[in-house]
Amino acid sequence: MPPGRYPHHVTIEAPAVDDGWDGEGAIGEQTVTFSKAADAYAYIEPLRGREYWAAAQIQAETTHEIRMRPLDITLTNRHEIVFGTRRFEIEAVRNIGERNVELVLMCKEKV
């Protein structure tokens, strides 16, 4: 795929849950780690940004739209998109026109 329409190289990561079982009878907390599921080219566009005051902290929230071609894997809101040092949580996946030509991912950047 030429990078003209989709100039950003991204990595899609899938979650893996560790139940805390170490095989010796001890059970700890569940931890979620992410591992590479696919590489793709995408177009990343920020839609809005805002800062709000919550729990006596300033927290930033930026919402992005990420467009890409469909992949061999089925993307869900459990996957994350990695672009350089930035991470995006997928909030919704839209298959435009249900034609499997382009996916639009509504994402929230992790800060």
Side-chain angles (χ1 to χ4, degrees):
M1 166 68 60
R5 185 170 177 170
Y6 304 105
H8 305 111
H9 182 263
V10 298
T11 301
I12 291 92
E13 293 190 349
V17 177
D18 178 11
D19 62 4
W21 174 256
D22 66 1
E24 298 179 9
I27 297 176
E29 295 182 15
Q30 285 188 344
T31 57
V32 178
T33 58
F34 286 86
S35 61
K36 181 178 173 179
D39 283 318
Y41 284 96
Y43 177 75
I44 302 172
E45 180 178 12
L47 296 179
R48 63 188 166 102
R50 66 182 171 128
E51 287 189 348
Y52 62 95
W53 189 265
Q57 298 178 26
I58 295 178
Q59 299 179 4
E61 178 183 287
T62 306
T63 303
H64 290 72
E65 180 179 276
I66 299 177
R67 293 179 173 266
M68 66 175 54
R69 297 259 182 231
L71 305 168
D72 293 336
I73 62 172
T74 302
L75 288 176
T76 67
N77 61 351
R78 298 187 66 208
H79 290 89
E80 290 191 357
I81 306 295
V82 179
F83 175 57
T85 59
R86 300 165 68 189
R87 297 186 75 83
F88 298 92
E89 295 177 341
I90 299 174
E91 294 181 337
V93 179
R94 295 178 25 218
N95 183 354
I96 301 302
E98 297 297 325
R99 298 180 303 155
N100 295 324
V101 174
E102 184 175 51
L103 297 177
V104 176
L105 311 176
M106 303 310 290
C107 299
K108 181 169 72 173
E109 186 170 4
K110 292 175 88 171
V111 181

